[in-house]
Amino acid sequence: MALQGYKRQAGRRDGGIVRIAVAEADAVENVVFDFMTGNATGLTLTEGETFALFEFREDTARLVETVETTAYFPIVRRELSFQLERLDENERQTVARLVKATGRGFVVLAMNGCGTVLLLGHSRKLGDSFPMQIRSAVADTGYAPQDAACETVIFYNEDAEKAPVYTGEFPAAAGGAASITAISADGKES
């Protein structure tokens, strides 16, 4: 494989993560990869399983991928973080459900500010061996009434390659003011 340079693309270069959809890792039945590009072109959830869409505080979500090389292979450490608003019952139950399900791990679709969707927790090389896990969830009330109460949720995993671009359909947009909306495999809200 010949080394290739990088040519900067024209167009948006907006940062941050703007949409997040999460499914339990064992709910993902199949992921289809294009082996020419390495992109994930689609995924199938087990019948009756859903994606959960998270509405987070604006400008609080980000993805950090760190590639470290060893003598034998690269290690990619990945961290996705976002803040849920309000420390109310809905938010606390949402985080409790995530923590309870973390043993099985998660597959996450994360859309960046340029509209590119990345598939986290399922890779072309390692499959579902290293799903995303909850690293931490930190609730913070702030000190004063004008401080924004929130909970920062951090997903984490390690992989052998950078997250693939996902070119399949992103689950339908969440509606209402809820922090979490269930989306079934056929795209219908429940």
Side-chain angles (χ1 to χ4, degrees), residues 12-28:
R12 295 178 56 188
R13 291 182 284 278
D14 297 343
I17 298 294
V18 296
R19 295 180 69 195
I20 296 172
V22 180
E24 292 184 43
D26 56 5
V28 177

Side-chain angles (χ1 to χ4, degrees), residues 21-64:
V22 180
E24 292 184 43
D26 56 5
V28 177
E29 192 171 283
N30 185 39
V31 177
V32 178
F33 287 95
D34 178 332
F35 284 94
M36 294 297 288
T37 64
N39 293 345
T41 58
L43 63 83
T44 305
L45 295 179
T46 306
E47 187 173 335
E49 295 294 337
T50 61
F51 268 101
L53 300 181
F54 284 79
E55 295 179 5
F56 45 85
R57 284 181 63 191
E58 190 172 334
D59 301 330
T60 66
R62 77 179 195 160
L63 172 67
V64 176

Side-chain angles (χ1 to χ4, degrees), residues 1-160:
M1 179 171 141
L3 185 63
Q4 294 181 344
Y6 173 79
K7 181 168 175 45
R8 187 176 58 176
Q9 302 289 320
R12 295 178 56 188
R13 291 182 284 278
D14 297 343
I17 298 294
V18 296
R19 295 180 69 195
I20 296 172
V22 180
E24 292 184 43
D26 56 5
V28 177
E29 192 171 283
N30 185 39
V31 177
V32 178
F33 287 95
D34 178 332
F35 284 94
M36 294 297 288
T37 64
N39 293 345
T41 58
L43 63 83
T44 305
L45 295 179
T46 306
E47 187 173 335
E49 295 294 337
T50 61
F51 268 101
L53 300 181
F54 284 79
E55 295 179 5
F56 45 85
R57 284 181 63 191
E58 190 172 334
D59 301 330
T60 66
R62 77 179 195 160
L63 172 67
V64 176
E65 282 188 320
T66 304
V67 179
E68 297 176 8
T69 58
T70 68
Y72 304 104
F73 53 85
I75 297 173
V76 179
R77 290 184 169 86
R78 185 173 298 121
E79 189 172 276
L80 172 70
S81 62
F82 58 91
Q83 291 181 351
L84 298 175
E85 290 185 304
R86 306 176 59 94
L87 298 178
D88 62 8
E89 182 179 355
N90 179 42
E91 181 276 332
R92 297 187 78 69
Q93 288 177 1
T94 298
V95 171
R97 286 191 300 268
L98 281 172
V99 170
K100 184 177 180 180
T102 201
R104 296 182 297 278
F106 305 96
V107 170
V108 179
L109 297 175
M111 181 185 292
N112 69 21
C114 296
T116 301
V117 178
L118 299 173
L119 174 65
L120 313 175
H122 192 106
S123 71
R124 187 173 48 98
K125 288 184 180 178
L126 301 177
D128 61 359
S129 299
F130 296 97
M132 299 295 284
Q133 299 288 336
I134 296 292
R135 168 173 266 174
S136 64
V138 179
D140 186 352
T141 63
Y143 294 100
Q146 66 271 19
D147 293 341
C150 66
E151 185 145 8
T152 303
V153 177
I154 300 175
F155 286 90
Y156 174 84
N157 83 335
E158 292 183 358
D159 205 332

